Amino acid sequence: MSWDWEKLKEQQHKRGDVPPQLDDFMKKVNKFKLPGGPFLIFFIIIVMLGSSMVYTVEIDEVGVIQRFGKYVRTRGPGLNVKLPLGIESVTKVKIKRVYKEEFGLRSSGMGESSRFSTESESNVALMLTGDLNVGLVPWIVQYRISDPYNYLFKVENINRLLKDMSESAMRLVIGDRSINEVISKREEIADEAELVLQAELDRAETGINVITIEMKRTNVPGPVQSSFNEVNQAVQEKEKMIYQAKEAYNKAIPAARGEAERTIKAAEGYALDRVNRAQGDVSRFNAVYAEYVKAKDITKRRLYLEALKDLFPKLGQKYIIDADQKNFLPLLNLKK
C-alpha cells in the first residue's frame, strides 16, 4: 500500500491538528517589537537614581552625608534616604569597632600572638630611658572613633598622625623613667602614656578615643643583654648586702639603745638613792645636833657608848686589863 503524503498533510491541515512549524514561529517573533530606545534609557536612569538614593547603615556605624563634598549631616543605623548620585554621597564610619595599632610588634596571623618585628619598624621600640639606657619597648594602642566628623574632615592622614603621637607620648613617658622602672612598672607607664596620648589627640581634634595602651614584655637590645644581666646581678648583690646591713643595724642599734637606756635608768636610780641617803643623814645629824646642844655631856657620852656598842662586836674576842698588871699570860687560853 503506497502512502500519499501530500494528501495526508492536506487532510491534517483541514482538521487543525498540524503542529506549528519552526518557520512560522520565527516569523511571529520577528513581528514582535520592543518599546522604543528613549523609554528604555529613561527607565534605566530612574532605576539607577532610585538605588543611589537609598542606603543602609549598620548597627555599629554611622553614615556621614556630604553634598558636593561639603558635610551636611550624620545619620544613625537603619534604612536612610539621600539625594541621588552625584549630589550627595555617604561615608560609613564604624564607631563601635575597636581598632588596634602595634608598635615594635608584628602580628603573625589570625589567632596567633604578636611577636617582635625583625623589620625596620622595630626601631620604633628602641627608646632612651631617663638613666641613659636603651630599652626595647613594644606596645599596642586600642582605640575607637568617637567623633566621625573630626575623624574624617579635621585631620589629613589620621593614621599617620596617630602613630606619630603614640610614639611621641611613649617616648616622653619612658624618658622620665629608669630602665628598671620601664621593665618592672609597665602598667603604670601604660596608664600615664594613655593620658598623654589622649590629651594630644583631643588637642588635634582627631575624633579618636583611646581605650587602652598595653605594653608587652620590655627588655634591652640583644647585643647588650649579657652586660645588662651582669649589671642586674651586681645591683641585686648590692641590694642584698644593703638589706643584710640594715638587718644587722636593726638588731644592734635597738639592743644598744636598750642597754644605754638601762644604764641611764640605773644611774638615775643610784643618784636618787644617794641623794635620799644624804638627805636622811643630814636630817638625822640635825636632830642629834639639836639634842646635843641641849645637853652636850650626856649626848657626847651616849654617842660614845653607841659607837663602842657598834664597834666591839666587829673586833672579836678582846681582853681588857689594868695598866698595872705585870703578868697576864696565865689569863690567856693558849689552846685556842
Side-chain angles (χ1 to χ4, degrees):
M1 179 179 178
S2 61
W3 294 91
D4 191 353
W5 291 104
E6 295 295 335
K7 186 176 181 180
L8 182 61
K9 288 181 180 181
E10 183 179 354
Q11 292 177 356
Q12 290 178 350
H13 182 70
K14 289 180 180 180
R15 292 197 303 264
D17 54 358
V18 179
Q21 300 299 317
L22 180 60
D23 296 339
D24 297 336
F25 177 76
M26 293 302 298
K27 291 178 181 179
K28 292 180 180 181
V29 171
N30 293 331
K31 292 180 180 179
F32 179 78
K33 295 183 179 180
L34 295 174
F39 176 79
L40 181 60
I41 295 174
F42 179 75
F43 178 76
I44 295 175
I45 292 175
I46 292 298
V47 172
M48 292 179 61
L49 291 178
S51 62
S52 66
M53 292 175 63
V54 179
Y55 64 95
T56 302
V57 179
E58 300 296 335
I59 192 65
D60 62 339
E61 61 187 13
V62 295
V64 179
I65 309 300
Q66 295 172 258
R67 183 178 301 164
F68 298 115
K70 181 180 179 181
Y71 169 80
V72 290
R73 63 185 181 277
T74 301
R75 288 291 180 262
L79 189 63
N80 296 275
V81 179
K82 64 180 182 64
L83 295 179
L85 183 65
I87 300 176
E88 288 186 347
S89 61
V90 58
T91 303
K92 298 177 182 180
V93 180
K94 295 186 178 297
I95 59 174
K96 294 185 179 180
R97 174 182 293 180
V98 177
Y99 297 90
K100 180 177 69 172
E101 287 290 344
E102 297 180 347
F103 299 87
L105 292 168
R106 183 178 59 187
S107 297
S108 56
M110 295 297 293
E112 300 181 9
S113 59
S114 299
R115 62 177 185 269
F116 282 107
S117 174
T118 57
E119 300 176 0
S120 60
E121 65 267 16
S122 62
N123 293 331
V124 175
L126 291 175
M127 297 189 183
L128 186 66
T129 61
D131 55 355
L132 301 182
N133 282 299
V134 177
L136 195 60
V137 187
W139 76 98
I140 297 175
V141 177
Q142 294 181 340
Y143 65 94
R144 284 195 183 99
I145 300 173
S146 59
D147 190 333
Y149 174 77
N150 288 346
Y151 181 79
L152 292 176
F153 305 115
K154 287 297 184 70
V155 178
E156 183 180 2
N157 196 355
I158 193 167
N159 291 331
R160 182 71 264 173
L161 178 66
L162 174 62
K163 293 180 180 179
D164 292 341
M165 284 189 170
S166 299
E167 183 178 351
S168 175
M170 186 59 68
R171 291 187 183 277
L172 178 64
V173 176
I174 294 297
D176 294 333
R177 304 297 183 107
S178 65
I179 186 64
N180 291 328
E181 290 177 324
V182 172
I183 294 176
S184 61
K185 298 181 179 180
R186 292 182 295 174
E187 293 184 1
E188 181 180 338
I189 294 174
D191 293 340
E192 185 177 350
E194 179 181 344
L195 296 176
V196 175
L197 176 59
Q198 186 63 64
E200 293 298 327
L201 292 175
D202 293 342
R203 187 177 295 110
E205 297 182 343
T206 58
I208 291 177
N209 180 36
V210 180
I211 298 176
T212 182
I213 292 181
E214 179 184 359
M215 290 187 63
K216 294 298 183 180
R217 185 173 180 270
T218 305
N219 211 328
V220 296
V224 298
Q225 183 68 50
S226 59
S227 300
F228 181 76
N229 292 337
E230 292 178 358
V231 171
N232 283 339
Q233 185 176 0
V235 171
Q236 292 175 1
E237 290 292 335
K238 174 185 175 182
E239 292 178 351
K240 180 181 178 181
M241 296 181 65
I242 292 175
Y243 176 79
Q244 292 176 350
K246 288 182 177 180
E247 184 179 5
Y249 173 86
N250 292 332
K251 289 181 179 179
I253 296 302
R257 288 176 178 172
E259 183 65 21
E261 188 70 20
R262 188 188 65 80
T263 303
I264 292 173
K265 293 297 182 182
E268 290 177 350
Y270 177 76
L272 183 62
D273 178 70
R274 294 294 295 175
V275 169
N276 291 336
R277 287 178 180 273
Q279 290 177 351
D281 293 342
V282 171
S283 298
R284 185 172 65 254
F285 179 80
N286 290 333
V288 172
Y289 180 74
E291 296 299 327
Y292 174 77
V293 171
K294 295 178 181 178
K296 294 183 179 180
D297 295 337
I298 296 174
T299 304
K300 184 184 296 186
R301 186 173 181 80
R302 182 175 65 82
L303 291 174
Y304 175 74
L305 293 176
E306 289 178 353
L308 290 179
K309 180 180 178 181
D310 295 334
L311 179 62
F312 277 135
K314 298 177 181 180
L315 297 178
Q317 188 175 8
K318 299 291 183 293
Y319 293 95
I320 301 174
I321 59 176
D322 190 355
D324 297 332
Q325 180 68 33
K326 299 298 184 183
N327 186 10
F328 57 87
L329 289 178
L331 298 177
L332 297 177
N333 188 355
L334 297 179
K335 293 182 180 181
K336 293 182 179 181

